[in-house]
Amino acid sequence: MSRLGTRGLVLNEKLLFELSDSGRKGYSLPASDVPPAQLDAELVRDAVEGFPELSEVDVVRHFTRLSTWNYGVDSGFYPLGSCTMKYNPKVNEVACRRPGMANLHPYTPDHLAQGALALMYELQEGLKEISGFPALTLQPAAGAHGELTGMLMVRAWHESRGGGRTRVLIPDTAHGTNPATAALCGFEVIPLASGPDGVLNVEDVRAKMDDSVAGLMVTNPNTLGLFESQIREICDVVHEKGGLVYCDGANLNALMGIARPGDLGMDVMHFNMHKTFSTPHGGGGPGAGAVGVCQALEPFLPAPLVVKTEEGFRLDDDRPQSIGRLRAFNGNFGVMVRAWAYLRSLGGEGLKRSSELAVLNANYIRARLEKVFHLPYSQRSLHEVVFTDKNLGGDCHTLDLAKRLIDYGYHPPTIYFPLVVHGAIMIEPTETESKQVLDEFCDAMLAIAREAEENPELLHEAPRCTKIGRLDETRAARQPRLCWQA
Amino acid sequence: MRYLPHTDDDIRQMLEAIGVSSVDELFSAIPAADRLQRPLDLPPALSEPDLLRELDRLAELNTSSTRALSFLGGGAYNHFIPAAVDHLISRSEFYTAYTPYQPEISQGTLQAIFEYQTLICQLTGMDVANASMYDGASATAEAALMAVRATRRSKLLLSAGLHPEYRQTVSSYCRYLGLELVEVTLAADGRTDLAALSPVLDTTVAAVIVGYPNFYGVIEPLADLADKAHACGAMLVSATAEPVSLGLLKSPGELGVDIAVGEGQSFGLPVAYGGPGVGFFAARKKAVRSMPGRLIGETLDKNGERGFVLTLATREQHIRREKATSNICSNQGLCALMVAIYLALLGKQGIRELAEQNLAKAEYAKRQIASLPGFSLPHQAPTFNEFVVATPRPAAELLRTLEADNILGGIDLARFDAADANRLLVCVTEQNSRDDIDRLVAALKGGAA
């Protein structure tokens, strides 16, 4: 039986504001048991103009309907390269909603928040062990926020030694946020080409490294899914010339229990906790971006840090060399609870097994597709594999393939990234998918390659089975409508 | 392992298809010297029931608002969350979806975030809002940077009434960008001192940044501040940590603010020991191309049907990389959805009634506490749902005695400034009944000695 999409009843839904009917309310307040109070009239607004008026059932049906238009990991296979969309254990959701955790105020005195602090401390120690870094902060709110935290520390370290280093080397395989982050820390970005084999070459780094360069930002495994095999030598070169090495840890899912970035000579790395440690992505977040550092950078970590003392756990704010704080309160604690639950569910052995199977799955897809799809690099892949649209017939391109995959019931892989690969199709299956799922996905990819040869219109007109067809993105950008108006 | 579906037979077949004899061989690109030669030193795996038992043991060590009477605010607020909010965000099509890069299968998230953007515009009185930031503090820092970009100026004036952790965050973000940060003191009434502002407000100032209400709960005179800032060509940024106030107070847009940011936690998110929250960010239409973060826009599909997409992405890191307006990549999609659901449930009437009840309860508490011997209210300007109390003995000691009665009586302001050892920040919301407030007042009275 074909996996192609079939008919279903997909209903339209107006915007909240279009559903509104004057006088409705979906919320109940306790009766006020104090005298009413008034502010000076000049401080008070009229009603919030435009706010909808809906009953609870209106709101529930509205958002339930919207949810049916979405594709999530629980709906099906989501092989988004570099995004690590693994299945998220349900117990994580139960864990973070425990009232003792969810209803704890961030300014609760430390002695009344020992459970939360213990959990943060355990998570911190676990991440240190996995990454090989001796010190760590849990404060950053997302991966890119962790990058900012890490690069601010790199800058602070240089400033503490006299400064003057204003440039950062960034390979062309880097995530788009890396150059933006470096710029936010006042650095100039020096692009670095990866070699023909898809990895950085130690001699190229040596040639660019001088005393104006603060360091190198590298992703390992890189965005091609390849291990930076010369990373130790590269770290040595950067260190010899007085720089530091930043590791974008977005792809840590390939390395747990296998290799530790801290052991390889990296100085600072962020974790995409929501990816590797299984917090659902939520259509954009929340995530969390813990940052591990070498001993030399420890004094610069954002305040406060969770520390263990004889009297118990404590938030330590007394950090004179700290770069400060990057957000209010204690970080995305709800994400930390989920990550803690995941770590404790798997243990060291389970984490290593996860990485092994993530890599097995990527290599299995590679083996099944490489005869038909063009593979730009021949090295052994780790947790993700990048193909291109070079062999795709019928004047079909990566975007057409991606849209046609939707008709087959799959979320498309990451496309047109990394930028260094023309027409890239980046597949990351993760460890939570079975051989059966991978086989069905590969069958769909191969069927689409045949369709491209025999009936390319199927690709050009895809997706056909979705609620709406391809959207006019140019119109959205040229005539921005970012807000509903009556 | 319960999250891994592979059978031994599957693994054998897959290895055969790949052409290797072991899983270990797949890691051959990692030099042997780079491999970890020992097992990870982590506690052993726990079964699901054991995991929850361990979690509950830790949760027992926390004094949450479930177990104590809480008057803590200071940027994280204890509001009631209707059951429908958690129920709806627990639909896995919402919470297990990615950033909506493929709009045809992400219309649910896209429309919901478009609705969120609209609700934030209506609440703040601004023209455009982004699809959310990490939190109120980082949103304030991004607003500071946007003002610098928009005005091409390099000085930022930060009110001493801006949340201390927001001020620290702005300072960290600006650390290496060659910007000058100047603090503007508060007047005795608790509002930003207009007289202290004048000498430092000149044509090098990109923005004046104030809390609304400010950290001490005081309602700032935004219109006066806007006039002063605009007269110098500077922008006015308001940062609202307690957005329930906007159900009652004049909107920042109405009062001349150029960028209105804040924290949306009050709208349906648990306090969760400080995160995740959700930063909101709204501005005037003309500034849209210098805004940070994600934006959702309305458009048409090839058949002329209305649909939504991520738009104006050239401001992000996809194309001009190091020229991006911000390095923010993900936003707080699920949290923004919670805000949208919560505000849809409240609606026009609910937000007003909620704000009025918060004000009334706080005013009641204020009067009762002020009438206690030895206690007073140092700020005379109007407040919303929290306020500073001057205490007859160090607030830290007083709070300790309240803990014995299972009351979290407020925030000891010495936490932020040692000179404020005898000051307490008390917050009262709709979650606190008159009886609760009376209990607090009696405990304060008892602890005053």
Side-chain angles (χ1 to χ4, degrees), chain A residues 43 45 67 70 73 90 98 102 104-105 111-112 129 181 232 258 283-284 325 327 329 344 403 469 472 482, chain B residues 34 36 38 41 56 63 76 91 95 97 102 104 109 117 123 165 172 246 272-274 299 301 327 331:
Chain A
L43 298 175
R45 74 192 289 168
S67 77
N70 262 11
V73 175
K90 297 303 172 196
R98 282 294 205 254
L104 184 65
H105 191 280
H111 66 276
L112 300 179
E129 167 64 9
T181 297
R232 260 184 205 273
I258 312 272
R325 58 162 59 244
R327 51 157 295 157
F329 310 127
R344 298 300 313 267
K403 297 303 184 194
D472 187 348
L482 307 171
Chain B
D34 291 353
L36 184 65
R38 57 169 179 82
D41 182 15
D56 286 339
T63 301
R91 296 213 32 116
Y95 83 87
Q102 297 288 343
E104 298 89 346
T109 288
Q117 289 177 182
L123 196 66
E165 296 190 1
S172 304
L246 298 181
Y273 204 43
T299 188
D301 79 350
N327 85 327
N331 48 359

Side-chain angles (χ1 to χ4, degrees), chain B residues 174-338:
Chain B
C174 294
R175 205 175 162 102
Y176 298 113
L177 299 176
L179 303 173
E180 188 189 352
L181 271 50
V182 178
E183 188 174 301
V184 181
T185 52
L186 295 183
D189 66 356
R191 299 193 286 192
T192 301
D193 190 347
L194 291 170
L197 184 63
S198 298
V200 285
L201 184 58
D202 57 35
T203 54
T204 66
V205 174
V208 178
I209 309 179
V210 299
Y212 181 65
N214 71 23
F215 181 65
Y216 304 106
V218 173
I219 302 163
E220 292 278 7
L222 288 187
D224 295 343
L225 289 160
D227 286 346
K228 286 210 161 218
H230 294 162
C232 276
M235 296 177 114
L236 181 65
V237 176
S238 67
T240 299
E242 173 48 295
V244 169
S245 66
L246 298 181
L248 184 62
L249 299 182
K250 279 203 169 133
S251 74
E254 207 176 337
L255 298 171
V257 163
D258 301 282
I259 308 174
V261 298
E263 169 58 59
Q265 175 269 323
S266 285
F267 294 150
L269 281 71
V271 287
Y273 204 43
V278 51
F280 64 82
F281 192 112
R284 307 280 176 187
K285 190 178 267 169
K286 60 176 189 246
V288 66
R289 285 174 205 270
S290 60
M291 266 175 88
R294 292 275 156 90
L295 294 167
I296 309 299
E298 184 188 314
T299 188
L300 300 174
D301 79 350
K302 59 182 182 181
N303 305 316
E305 298 277 336
R306 172 167 74 185
F308 301 91
V309 290
L310 285 168
T311 192
L312 301 178
T314 50
R315 302 161 306 107
E316 297 181 63
Q317 333 79 29
H318 305 305
I319 299 163
R320 296 182 300 164
R321 294 164 67 105
E322 68 278 2
K323 298 263 188 278
T325 51
S326 153
N327 85 327
I328 193 167
C329 174
S330 282
N331 48 359
Q332 301 285 104
L334 196 69
C335 303
L337 175 68
M338 291 164 89

Side-chain angles (χ1 to χ4, degrees), chain A residues 27-195:
Chain A
Y27 183 90
S28 57
L29 275 168
S32 184
D33 49 6
V34 297
Q38 281 196 334
L39 288 171
D40 289 348
E42 61 170 22
L43 298 175
V44 176
R45 74 192 289 168
D46 298 331
V48 182
E49 198 47 52
F51 252 38
E53 296 177 77
L54 301 162
S55 66
E56 180 175 318
V57 64
D58 297 330
V59 174
V60 168
R61 287 201 182 130
H62 175 76
F63 286 103
T64 301
R65 177 94 62 234
L66 295 195
S67 77
T68 65
W69 303 344
N70 262 11
Y71 189 103
V73 175
D74 287 4
S75 319
F77 185 42
Y78 222 117
L80 262 182
S82 229
C83 300
T84 311
M85 293 292 282
K86 60 171 82 176
Y87 166 76
N88 310 116
K90 297 303 172 196
V91 71
N92 294 1
E93 298 304 307
V94 174
C96 70
R97 284 169 171 80
R98 282 294 205 254
M101 296 293 177
N103 297 335
L104 184 65
H105 191 280
Y107 289 146
T108 309
D110 290 350
H111 66 276
L112 300 179
Q114 287 296 298
L117 290 170
L119 183 146
M120 288 171 74
Y121 187 82
E122 278 181 28
L123 177 61
Q124 200 171 284
E125 295 306 298
L127 296 178
K128 281 155 69 172
E129 167 64 9
I130 291 163
S131 62
F133 289 103
L136 186 129
T137 173
L138 296 170
Q139 187 178 109
H145 204 219
E147 281 177 38
L148 177 60
T149 308
M151 289 307 285
L152 283 173
M153 285 189 270
V154 167
R155 182 80 196 239
W157 181 79
H158 279 297
E159 298 296 318
S160 76
R161 296 158 53 96
R165 290 182 182 245
T166 54
R167 310 199 301 161
V168 175
L169 303 178
I170 303 187
D172 50 13
T173 51
H175 287 113
T177 47
N178 290 180
T181 297
L184 259 181
C185 300
F187 290 120
E188 183 193 344
V189 176
I190 310 297
L192 196 60
S194 48

Side-chain angles (χ1 to χ4, degrees), chain A residues 98-343:
Chain A
R98 282 294 205 254
M101 296 293 177
N103 297 335
L104 184 65
H105 191 280
Y107 289 146
T108 309
D110 290 350
H111 66 276
L112 300 179
Q114 287 296 298
L117 290 170
L119 183 146
M120 288 171 74
Y121 187 82
E122 278 181 28
L123 177 61
Q124 200 171 284
E125 295 306 298
L127 296 178
K128 281 155 69 172
E129 167 64 9
I130 291 163
S131 62
F133 289 103
L136 186 129
T137 173
L138 296 170
Q139 187 178 109
H145 204 219
E147 281 177 38
L148 177 60
T149 308
M151 289 307 285
L152 283 173
M153 285 189 270
V154 167
R155 182 80 196 239
W157 181 79
H158 279 297
E159 298 296 318
S160 76
R161 296 158 53 96
R165 290 182 182 245
T166 54
R167 310 199 301 161
V168 175
L169 303 178
I170 303 187
D172 50 13
T173 51
H175 287 113
T177 47
N178 290 180
T181 297
L184 259 181
C185 300
F187 290 120
E188 183 193 344
V189 176
I190 310 297
L192 196 60
S194 48
D197 49 0
V199 296
L200 279 184
N201 182 298
V202 65
E203 292 312 320
D204 292 342
V205 175
R206 195 190 305 276
K208 289 258 170 93
M209 209 36 228
D210 61 31
D211 60 11
S212 73
V213 177
L216 167 73
M217 282 184 97
V218 61
T219 305
N220 194 22
N222 70 21
T223 53
L224 295 163
L226 307 178
F227 188 79
E228 290 289 349
S229 49
Q230 301 180 48
I231 195 66
R232 260 184 205 273
E233 294 83 347
I234 288 169
C235 290
D236 288 345
V237 164
V238 174
H239 291 154
E240 276 162 26
K241 298 200 179 179
L244 294 174
V245 178
Y246 184 94
C247 180
D248 181 319
N251 294 337
L252 187 69
N253 204 50
L255 294 186
M256 294 185 293
I258 312 272
R260 306 196 308 169
D263 294 346
L264 305 177
M266 313 285 210
D267 300 292
V268 47
M269 183 190 88
H270 78 262
F271 298 71
N272 293 76
M273 307 238 302
H274 45 292
K275 297 183 185 182
T276 316
F277 302 98
S278 78
T279 287
H281 194 277
V291 177
V293 295
C294 63
Q295 211 66 61
L297 289 177
E298 195 271 343
F300 303 98
L301 284 168
L305 283 186
V306 185
V307 294
K308 191 177 183 177
T309 70
E310 278 177 13
E311 294 82 51
F313 299 96
R314 191 166 65 75
L315 285 169
D316 177 18
D317 245 318
D318 183 20
R319 303 185 50 78
Q321 282 187 282
S322 166
I323 56 163
R325 58 162 59 244
L326 274 298
R327 51 157 295 157
F329 310 127
N330 309 315
N332 278 353
F333 180 72
V335 177
M336 296 176 206
V337 177
R338 291 173 174 94
W340 175 90
Y342 186 72
L343 270 183

Side-chain angles (χ1 to χ4, degrees), chain A residues 29, chain B residues 244-249 350-360 384:
Chain A
L29 275 168
Chain B
V244 169
S245 66
L246 298 181
L248 184 62
L249 299 182
I351 185 85
R352 183 61 162 229
E353 288 170 15
L354 178 68
E356 283 172 346
Q357 192 165 131
N358 272 258
L359 173 76
F384 178 62

